[in-house]
Amino acid sequence: MLTKAKHVLPAARCLRNISSKNTNRMPSTYVTNTELGPSNLQTVPTHELFTKIGFISHPRSGLVNWLPLGLRISRKITAIINNRMEQIGAEELSLSQLSKSDLWQITGRWDNSELFKLKDTSDSEYCLVPTCEEEITQLVKEQLKSYKSLPLIYYQIKEKFRDEKRPRSGLLRGREFIMKDAYSFDLSETDAMSTYEKMIGAYKNIFTDLRLPYKQAEADTGDIGGTLSHEWHYVHESGEDTLFECSSCGSVSNVEKTLSFPQEPDEKAEVAVSYFKTKDNSTLICAYYPSNRTLEPSFLKDDIPDIDLGDRNEAAILEEFSDEETLISKRVVRIMDARLTSRSNFPDFSIPFVNRSLITTLTDVPIVTAQEGEICSKCEDGELKTSRAIEVGHTFYLGDKYSEPLKLSVDNPDSSGKMRSTKVMMGCYGIGISRIVAGIGELTRDESGFRWPVSIAPWHVTILEASASIQNAERLYDQLTENDIEYKFDDRSKVGIGRKIFHSNLVGIPLVVVIGKNFPMVEIEVRGLRYRDNADLQWRKAFQTKTFEWTVEEGTNGHDKKHFVHVDGAAQVIKSLLLDM
Amino acid sequence: MLTKAKHVLPAARCLRNISSKNTNRMPSTYVTNTELGPSNLQTVPTHELFTKIGFISHPRSGLVNWLPLGLRISRKITAIINNRMEQIGAEELSLSQLSKSDLWQITGRWDNSELFKLKDTSDSEYCLVPTCEEEITQLVKEQLKSYKSLPLIYYQIKEKFRDEKRPRSGLLRGREFIMKDAYSFDLSETDAMSTYEKMIGAYKNIFTDLRLPYKQAEADTGDIGGTLSHEWHYVHESGEDTLFECSSCGSVSNVEKTLSFPQEPDEKAEVAVSYFKTKDNSTLICAYYPSNRTLEPSFLKDDIPDIDLGDRNEAAILEEFSDEETLISKRVVRIMDARLTSRSNFPDFSIPFVNRSLITTLTDVPIVTAQEGEICSKCEDGELKTSRAIEVGHTFYLGDKYSEPLKLSVDNPDSSGKMRSTKVMMGCYGIGISRIVAGIGELTRDESGFRWPVSIAPWHVTILEASASIQNAERLYDQLTENDIEYKFDDRSKVGIGRKIFHSNLVGIPLVVVIGKNFPMVEIEVRGLRYRDNADLQWRKAFQTKTFEWTVEEGTNGHDKKHFVHVDGAAQVIKSLLLDM
């Protein structure tokens, strides 16, 4: 059968505008919950709003169905990320969500109790991937034929899985999540750092496209490993993370990376001590700190790079260093937290010791987690301010953490032109799409519902016809389509105009257009948040040179609340309004 | 931080053209296999070509990584499906890939040995979904508030999983596959049938967009259930399915649905007999058929709707009907296959029987699977022709198969206006994206590689600069971008022009443009298949009214092989060439 149909060129767009208002139906899951009203809305937690309005549903605790309304938002975030990834030359692929155990055993990550594991009929073990360092390293090992192919950046946007013990409602701590995970491959640490910087630039662009203020925080590398890492956060009181920001140098870091000095040392502090040793068993480390503070052992690493921070048994350590025969060949380092002074009330030294010259003492070192109001250790000037935050991204420089055990290397000419096997240096870069939806939802919601930025709103404008259908309004729909403005026409019968406006605001659509009895004048109600100063808004410029009837009703705060515009100028006004949202 | 960046409106397109040739890099997985050459290409099986060229890789048997090149193809198929689904009002969503056991136990599908099963930390059991009838029925049950929301069609495009015992290489029988699965919900069987027809229309449009000839075959409903079903196939000798097509009425069906009559009955046939009973145990069915043919028990259902086709023990059935005391209340139906006559050599009747008047005999009934050359039972005129085929889609009318056990109903006013609980009638509709990629790959490949239709080709045009970079060629790139023509610039150093053309043809890109020493004349080489008669091709019309230099070199078969075009007209010529591919 030879086909004769209309040719499909270019490929259809993923997010399309449909020209006729009649096919611009509301999603079937649009505000199915009839209990939501102005009176009870304020008390509904944000994560419940998502399910009550019909963005998502949870078929089981921690699992997520993305309904049409929520899927539209997640797809728009995806499109923003695709665009910014492509700009830095990252290539999209899609890895299997099943990963066999052997690679994970090599990297030592198989014994993670949060891996969902399963067996196939031949008893081979797999996990549902929570992240793909193992698989992508193996893939590049198979595909990489020449050093000339480097640098390489691959990314994918797919569901990941984690057997979270106590999944909570909502998108923040579920057992599945949509993540953009990117992986970079370079010939040297220098190249890899430059790729890391390029990715940081792409992240800044992505978050700028998403409009909401964000924080880039220095972070610990944790289980993923590597040596350099940043977290990307939305600041919100509901967040599970704590960030510290310096009032002077402005540096931001999470609690595991914030070193601080006290405003004043506390001479009367009760002193606690913890014992560590170096990996080579040569040195005992005694860490002294105020007993009402929390020791952060990783801070000791700056002074004792060889410190053993694994599982430790203090009694065994002290026992080892109490043997007077071997003690002579060993050393002791005493580290005093900066909050203590020499006049602090130190406990008795706990082991006998022959030669005091073998003891080194370091003072004024920050080894406990910071507190609000303390001094930034970076500039030694500003005060630290804490805030709660929602983590939505994490970037890691990995170095050879995965390329070493999985043996990813490539022949590369050295300075004399001779080919030498070179380890490939990696980075990995995550963004949680589900978390961004949850985070922006949390940040933008108010007593009327959500307020999505235009770049990710399910659609830009909801259109209501208050009077019986007005024939000439068709030209408005044509103009909206011409201007790439995504609209939905709310034609639900038996729902009043007030209720429809309430629902559009609840869902978080930036604008509502009401076509009513004053046609050809139409009314545009402003809902979307503005990311620019009131005086500097785009529509004000358009307003000054308007060529059609257009009046503005201001709210009590001096902000524009409603625009009354002749239908012929409506699309132009809408476009100018959307530009600042 | 208030952002100041360029505003993202409208959302970026998923498949974008990038304006500068320098960012139009080849995917990093572009023909990484250096062993592929004209001499050995013919012997490489199609499924190996996919991995050797770098469309996909198999991290494990049956698992699939979609590499950048393959992902582009699958995304274009996705875009075509999205477009056609949207046209019939289907809404996209995305269901969790984990589904808890309880719903499957209710529908009786949990004991499927091909389900990948896993437990969470609280020992609850889940499967990785191979299909989502259970979950979508449950979801609609939770979301559906009024009969006025019906009809509803939901669909999603996601990976599905099946613990295939013997996964084969390639995309056709793996342990994961990308499927578009759609589900429809209607108030009555009549409405559901009309939705089914609407979906059939969308499928025809999808396959027309995909360009390759396809077959819509009547099919058995199998494990999914329901009462009406069609399979969608690409005919190819490598296919695992067998289709029958009538030379007269043109009806197509698969082997489980093809009833046939013999050209001549075979009086000398050795006769076999199989025994069945009705579910109510009242009737013994004796099915007689030629012993060299295959009985298709489902064919008996047309005459004996109550027949029990489950597991059966013939000895037990005969035993039951040999008890002379109860026999008086029972009946016997003898069914003779159409290939037998009354003169055939029937075996002795196997049970004692008192009253021959209780025996009914049906003759001339087709009860064995058809063979090529037999007569179509539909028109009783044409001959059946068999072909091997690759199944790429399956549509089912489900009725209440899932809404009944999972109790999906809705209050609906009857003719008197009284509200009554009404069971929702369902349909389900699958298309295998992975299978379409494999199928079209198989159908289009030749001794030089793949030949993708323009609608799904990774890109439309490969561009080579044979001489040193020509400055004025930049206007060609601009024109291509203006015309939404997707191109990639092959700037690999140390790869000769001939090898580059070979690679572009191998990957299956419709056209290669060579910018060489004759610039501003450029050379366009034709690779893509034409889906229209040679005389009727679009470019011939453009050629007649050309306003720039343009000559054509024909191949031995009278087809255009190369076009030599002035650069100013190149984009126009390329566009006209692509229209028929």
Side-chain angles (χ1 to χ4, degrees):
Chain A
M1 180 191 326
L2 290 185
T3 58
K4 286 173 199 158
K6 182 169 156 278
H7 187 58
V8 182
L9 173 76
R13 293 172 66 176
C14 273
L15 296 164
R16 276 173 305 277
N17 295 299
I18 306 167
S19 55
S20 160
K21 77 172 190 194
N22 295 318
T23 57
N24 268 340
R25 301 198 325 173
M26 311 300 280
S28 61
T29 51
Y30 187 69
V31 198
T32 53
N33 191 298
T34 51
E35 292 157 20
L36 289 174
S39 59
N40 64 0
L41 192 55
Q42 251 175 308
T43 61
V44 179
T46 304
H47 68 83
E48 286 183 19
L49 262 193
F50 278 112
T51 54
K52 283 181 190 291
I53 296 177
F55 286 88
I56 58 169
S57 78
H58 297 293
R60 308 290 168 165
S61 174
L63 300 185
V64 181
N65 290 332
W66 289 85
L67 305 184
L69 210 48
L71 189 63
R72 289 181 77 96
I73 297 179
S74 92
R75 284 285 165 78
K76 289 192 172 184
I77 298 172
T78 296
I80 287 171
I81 294 175
N82 278 337
N83 181 43
R84 295 301 184 179
M85 287 294 108
E86 196 174 87
Q87 282 180 352
I88 59 165
E91 294 180 79
E92 191 178 7
L93 43 63
S94 174
L95 301 176
S96 178
Q97 289 162 304
L98 288 173
S99 179
K100 210 169 167 178
S101 56
D102 49 3
L103 297 178
W104 297 74
Q105 268 148 358
I106 294 172
T107 61
R109 298 209 294 177
W110 184 250
D111 294 327
N112 180 331
S113 64
E114 290 197 339
L115 284 182
F116 267 119
K117 294 177 185 174
L118 68 157
K119 288 185 177 178
D120 67 11
T121 42
S122 63
D123 248 19
S124 295
E125 270 202 297
Y126 300 82
C127 68
L128 291 181
V129 289
T131 176
C132 295
E133 285 77 13
E134 280 80 358
E135 287 290 348
I136 195 84
T137 306
Q138 179 65 21
L139 177 73
V140 171
K141 189 174 158 187
E142 286 162 12
Q143 299 282 330
L144 187 63
K145 307 288 178 197
S146 160
Y147 71 94
K148 290 180 192 161
S149 300
L150 298 180
L152 271 179
I153 310 174
Y154 286 124
Y155 78 100
Q156 60 175 353
I157 298 178
K158 286 185 92 159
E159 271 86 1
K160 307 292 184 306
F161 300 88
R162 177 180 53 201
D163 191 1
E164 175 75 38
K165 303 289 171 280
R166 282 174 294 278
R168 275 175 246 168
S169 297
L171 293 165
L172 284 173
R173 199 158 285 279
R175 305 167 106 175
E176 65 178 305
F177 47 99
I178 309 179
M179 182 166 83
K180 185 282 294 173
D181 45 328
Y183 308 89
S184 65
F185 302 86
D186 279 279
L187 261 182
S188 68
E189 182 162 338
T190 313
D191 290 357
M193 279 301 171
S194 131
T195 297
Y196 188 88
E197 287 307 322
K198 203 152 71 164
M199 188 62 80
I200 293 283
Y203 269 52
K204 288 178 176 169
N205 284 333
I206 289 167
F207 286 107
T208 303
D209 291 347
L210 291 170
R211 291 284 176 138
L212 272 295
Y214 66 93
K215 297 282 182 194
Q216 175 191 354
E218 282 181 56
D220 202 49
T221 54
D223 188 41
I224 298 273
T227 54
L228 173 65
S229 170
H230 289 96
E231 286 172 358
W232 303 77
H233 289 271
Y234 286 134
V235 170
H236 191 267
E237 61 199 6
S238 73
E240 294 185 321
D241 289 279
T242 300
L243 297 184
F244 287 88
E245 183 164 5
C246 172
S247 63
S248 176
C249 70
S251 73
V252 182
S253 47
N254 75 8
V255 66
E256 292 93 7
K257 282 294 254 190
T258 309
L259 302 169
S260 65
F261 293 108
Q263 294 277 7
E264 294 289 341
D266 177 8
E267 290 179 13
K268 301 208 173 110
E270 195 180 313
V271 180
V273 56
S274 288
Y275 299 99
F276 298 82
K277 60 186 179 87
T278 52
K279 285 176 190 155
D280 66 1
N281 297 317
S282 71
T283 309
L284 172 72
I285 300 112
C286 315
Y288 297 91
Y289 57 98
S291 63
N292 60 353
R293 298 295 290 272
T294 307
L295 178 72
E296 177 54 62
S298 68
F299 293 172
L300 297 166
K301 230 179 158 147
D302 286 347
D303 291 300
I304 320 284
D306 189 35
I307 192 168
D308 184 355
L309 294 178
D311 291 336
R312 72 201 157 83
N313 177 334
E314 295 211 346
I317 292 172
L318 288 177
E319 176 75 26
E320 193 177 336
F321 284 83
S322 297
D323 177 4
E324 294 193 31
E325 285 195 29
T326 61
L327 208 51
I328 191 69
S329 67
K330 304 209 171 184
R331 296 184 67 247
V332 173
V333 179
R334 306 176 82 203
I335 302 184
M336 318 295 190
D337 181 63
R339 271 134 288 250
L340 306 176
T341 71
S342 56
R343 280 166 301 192
S344 296
N345 185 22
F346 290 91
D348 289 336
F349 196 61
S350 48
I351 56 170
F353 213 79
V354 196
N355 188 346
R356 292 196 73 81
S357 74
L358 293 176
I359 301 181
T360 310
T361 300
L362 305 175
T363 60
D364 210 24
V365 182
I367 63 172
V368 300
T369 56
Q371 275 183 357
E372 174 140 315
E374 291 189 316
I375 307 295
C376 170
S377 76
K378 288 234 173 68
C379 63
E380 300 191 9
D381 178 25
E383 275 187 23
L384 294 171
K385 199 176 152 304
T386 63
S387 46
R388 305 290 288 170
I390 300 168
E391 186 189 342
V392 289
H394 207 150
T395 47
F396 297 89
Y397 169 64
L398 294 172
D400 64 358
K401 160 115 178 155
Y402 295 90
S403 52
E404 166 71 32
L406 296 170
K407 305 200 189 320
L408 169 58
S409 59
V410 68
D411 284 342
N412 180 33
D414 63 14
S415 54
S416 70
K418 200 174 156 189
M419 296 302 269
R420 289 188 191 282
S421 175
T422 307
K423 261 185 302 190
V424 173
M425 304 307 268
M426 293 173 54
C428 74
Y429 317 91
I431 286 186
I433 318 282
S434 323
R435 284 189 151 254
I436 285 177
V437 175
I440 295 185
E442 192 70 82
L443 262 69
T444 63
R445 83 157 286 192
D446 60 14
E447 69 288 353
S448 302
F450 293 111
R451 302 175 86 176
W452 301 105
V454 170
S455 56
I456 67 168
W459 55 90
H460 305 146
V461 185
T462 305
I463 299 198
L464 315 176
E465 291 185 359
S467 332
S469 185
I470 290 159
Q471 209 147 11
N472 289 336
E474 205 50 65
R475 56 184 151 156
L476 173 58
Y477 301 106
D478 292 343
Q479 281 174 24
L480 294 177
T481 303
E482 273 164 31
N483 284 281
D484 279 336
I485 295 165
E486 295 175 11
Y487 65 93
K488 289 278 178 194
F489 179 63
D490 188 350
D491 62 349
R492 290 176 296 166
S493 60
K494 301 196 183 168
V495 180
I497 197 86
R499 190 90 187 142
K500 282 181 180 175
I501 294 173
F502 170 73
H503 281 167
S504 179
N505 291 346
L506 178 62
V507 168
I509 306 306
L511 298 173
V512 179
V513 174
V514 183
I515 301 172
K517 59 181 192 301
N518 295 324
F519 190 86
M521 293 300 286
V522 300
E523 186 182 320
I524 303 168
E525 295 205 16
V526 175
R527 165 73 177 151
L529 281 165
R530 257 59 179 266
Y531 297 94
R532 197 193 282 264
D533 288 341
N534 187 22
D536 199 29
L537 295 177
Q538 288 291 326
W539 73 262
R540 295 196 186 275
K541 289 174 203 160
F543 190 75
Q544 280 161 18
T545 56
K546 65 179 172 176
T547 56
F548 44 83
E549 220 177 322
W550 177 3
T551 58
V552 182
E553 179 185 321
E554 292 201 348
T556 48
N557 52 8
H559 279 265
D560 56 317
K561 201 171 132 191
K562 289 184 190 179
H563 294 254
F564 304 92
V565 187
H566 190 279
V567 64
D568 289 340
Q572 193 185 322
V573 174
I574 289 168
K575 203 169 173 178
S576 72
L577 289 168
L578 292 175
L579 279 171
D580 295 316
M581 293 182 173
Chain B
M1 182 191 326
L2 289 186
T3 58
K4 287 174 197 155
K6 183 171 156 279
H7 187 57
V8 181
L9 172 76
R13 294 170 66 176
C14 273
L15 297 164
R16 277 172 304 278
N17 295 299
I18 305 166
S19 56
S20 160
K21 79 173 189 193
N22 295 319
T23 57
N24 269 338
R25 298 197 329 171
M26 311 301 281
S28 61
T29 53
Y30 187 71
V31 198
T32 52
N33 191 297
T34 50
E35 292 158 22
L36 288 174
S39 58
N40 64 2
L41 192 55
Q42 250 176 308
T43 61
V44 179
T46 305
H47 70 84
E48 286 184 19
L49 262 193
F50 278 111
T51 53
K52 282 180 190 291
I53 297 177
F55 286 88
I56 58 170
S57 78
H58 298 292
R60 307 289 168 165
S61 176
L63 300 185
V64 181
N65 290 332
W66 289 85
L67 305 183
L69 209 49
L71 189 64
R72 289 181 77 94
I73 297 180
S74 92
R75 285 286 165 77
K76 290 194 171 183
I77 298 172
T78 297
I80 287 172
I81 295 174
N82 279 337
N83 181 43
R84 296 302 185 177
M85 287 294 107
E86 197 174 88
Q87 282 181 351
I88 60 165
E91 294 180 80
E92 191 177 5
L93 42 63
S94 174
L95 302 176
S96 177
Q97 289 162 303
L98 288 173
S99 178
K100 209 169 168 179
S101 57
D102 50 3
L103 296 178
W104 297 75
Q105 266 147 0
I106 294 171
T107 61
R109 298 209 293 178
W110 183 250
D111 295 327
N112 181 332
S113 64
E114 290 197 339
L115 285 182
F116 266 118
K117 294 177 184 174
L118 67 158
K119 287 184 178 179
D120 67 12
T121 42
S122 63
D123 248 19
S124 296
E125 271 202 298
Y126 299 82
C127 67
L128 291 181
V129 290
T131 176
C132 294
E133 285 78 12
E134 280 80 359
E135 287 291 348
I136 194 85
T137 307
Q138 179 67 22
L139 176 73
V140 171
K141 189 175 159 186
E142 286 162 11
Q143 298 282 331
L144 186 64
K145 306 288 176 198
S146 160
Y147 71 95
K148 289 179 192 160
S149 301
L150 299 179
L152 271 179
I153 311 176
Y154 287 124
Y155 77 100
Q156 61 175 351
I157 297 179
K158 285 185 95 158
E159 271 87 0
K160 308 292 184 305
F161 301 88
R162 178 180 52 200
D163 191 1
E164 176 75 39
K165 303 289 170 281
R166 279 176 294 279
R168 277 176 244 167
S169 296
L171 294 165
L172 285 172
R173 198 157 285 280
R175 304 168 107 175
E176 67 178 304
F177 47 99
I178 309 178
M179 182 166 82
K180 185 282 295 174
D181 45 328
Y183 307 89
S184 66
F185 302 86
D186 280 279
L187 261 182
S188 67
E189 180 161 338
T190 314
D191 290 357
M193 280 299 171
S194 130
T195 297
Y196 187 88
E197 288 306 322
K198 204 152 71 165
M199 189 61 82
I200 293 284
Y203 268 54
K204 287 177 176 169
N205 285 333
I206 290 167
F207 285 108
T208 302
D209 290 347
L210 290 171
R211 291 286 177 137
L212 272 295
Y214 68 94
K215 297 283 181 192
Q216 174 191 356
E218 282 181 54
D220 202 49
T221 53
D223 187 41
I224 299 273
T227 56
L228 173 66
S229 170
H230 290 95
E231 286 172 359
W232 303 76
H233 289 271
Y234 286 133
V235 171
H236 191 267
E237 61 200 7
S238 73
E240 294 185 324
D241 289 279
T242 300
L243 297 184
F244 288 87
E245 182 163 8
C246 173
S247 63
S248 176
C249 69
S251 72
V252 182
S253 48
N254 76 8
V255 65
E256 292 93 7
K257 281 294 254 191
T258 308
L259 302 169
S260 65
F261 292 108
Q263 293 277 7
E264 294 289 338
D266 177 9
E267 290 178 13
K268 300 206 174 111
E270 195 180 312
V271 180
V273 57
S274 289
Y275 299 99
F276 299 83
K277 61 186 178 87
T278 51
K279 285 176 189 156
D280 66 0
N281 296 317
S282 72
T283 307
L284 173 71
I285 299 111
C286 316
Y288 297 91
Y289 57 98
S291 62
N292 60 354
R293 298 294 290 272
T294 307
L295 178 72
E296 177 54 63
S298 69
F299 292 172
L300 297 166
K301 227 175 162 150
D302 287 346
D303 292 300
I304 320 283
D306 189 34
I307 192 168
D308 184 355
L309 294 179
D311 291 337
R312 74 201 153 82
N313 177 334
E314 295 212 345
I317 292 172
L318 288 177
E319 176 76 26
E320 192 178 338
F321 282 85
S322 296
D323 175 4
E324 295 195 30
E325 285 195 30
T326 60
L327 209 51
I328 191 71
S329 66
K330 305 212 169 182
R331 296 183 67 246
V332 172
V333 179
R334 306 176 80 205
I335 301 184
M336 318 295 191
D337 180 64
R339 270 135 289 249
L340 305 176
T341 72
S342 55
R343 278 167 302 193
S344 295
N345 186 21
F346 289 93
D348 289 336
F349 196 61
S350 50
I351 58 169
F353 214 79
V354 194
N355 188 344
R356 293 196 73 81
S357 73
L358 293 177
I359 300 182
T360 307
T361 299
L362 305 174
T363 61
D364 210 25
V365 181
I367 61 173
V368 299
T369 56
Q371 277 184 356
E372 174 141 312
E374 291 190 316
I375 307 295
C376 170
S377 76
K378 288 234 173 69
C379 62
E380 300 193 8
D381 178 23
E383 276 187 24
L384 294 173
K385 199 177 151 304
T386 63
S387 47
R388 304 291 288 171
I390 300 167
E391 188 188 341
V392 288
H394 207 151
T395 47
F396 297 88
Y397 169 64
L398 294 172
D400 64 358
K401 159 116 181 157
Y402 294 91
S403 51
E404 167 70 35
L406 295 171
K407 304 202 191 318
L408 168 59
S409 58
V410 68
D411 284 342
N412 179 35
D414 64 14
S415 53
S416 71
K418 202 174 155 188
M419 296 302 269
R420 287 185 193 283
S421 173
T422 307
K423 261 184 305 192
V424 174
M425 305 305 269
M426 292 173 54
C428 73
Y429 317 89
I431 287 187
I433 318 281
S434 322
R435 285 190 150 253
I436 285 177
V437 175
I440 294 185
E442 193 70 81
L443 262 69
T444 62
R445 81 158 284 191
D446 60 13
E447 70 287 353
S448 303
F450 292 111
R451 301 175 84 177
W452 302 105
V454 169
S455 56
I456 66 168
W459 55 89
H460 303 144
V461 184
T462 305
I463 299 196
L464 315 176
E465 291 185 359
S467 333
S469 187
I470 292 157
Q471 208 145 14
N472 290 335
E474 205 51 65
R475 53 183 153 157
L476 173 59
Y477 301 107
D478 292 343
Q479 280 175 25
L480 294 177
T481 304
E482 273 165 33
N483 285 279
D484 279 336
I485 295 166
E486 296 176 9
Y487 65 93
K488 288 278 177 194
F489 180 63
D490 188 350
D491 62 350
R492 289 175 296 165
S493 60
K494 299 197 183 166
V495 179
I497 197 86
R499 190 90 187 143
K500 283 182 179 174
I501 294 174
F502 170 73
H503 281 166
S504 180
N505 291 344
L506 177 62
V507 168
I509 305 307
L511 299 173
V512 178
V513 174
V514 182
I515 300 172
K517 60 183 191 301
N518 296 323
F519 191 83
M521 292 300 286
V522 300
E523 186 183 319
I524 304 168
E525 293 205 16
V526 175
R527 164 75 177 150
L529 281 165
R530 257 59 180 265
Y531 297 93
R532 196 192 283 263
D533 289 341
N534 186 24
D536 200 29
L537 296 176
Q538 288 290 327
W539 72 263
R540 294 194 187 277
K541 290 174 201 158
F543 191 73
Q544 280 160 19
T545 56
K546 63 180 174 177
T547 56
F548 43 84
E549 219 177 324
W550 178 2
T551 57
V552 183
E553 180 186 319
E554 292 200 346
T556 49
N557 53 10
H559 279 266
D560 56 315
K561 203 171 131 192
K562 290 185 188 176
H563 293 252
F564 303 92
V565 187
H566 190 279
V567 65
D568 289 340
Q572 192 184 323
V573 173
I574 289 168
K575 202 170 176 179
S576 71
L577 289 168
L578 293 174
L579 278 171
D580 295 316
M581 291 182 176

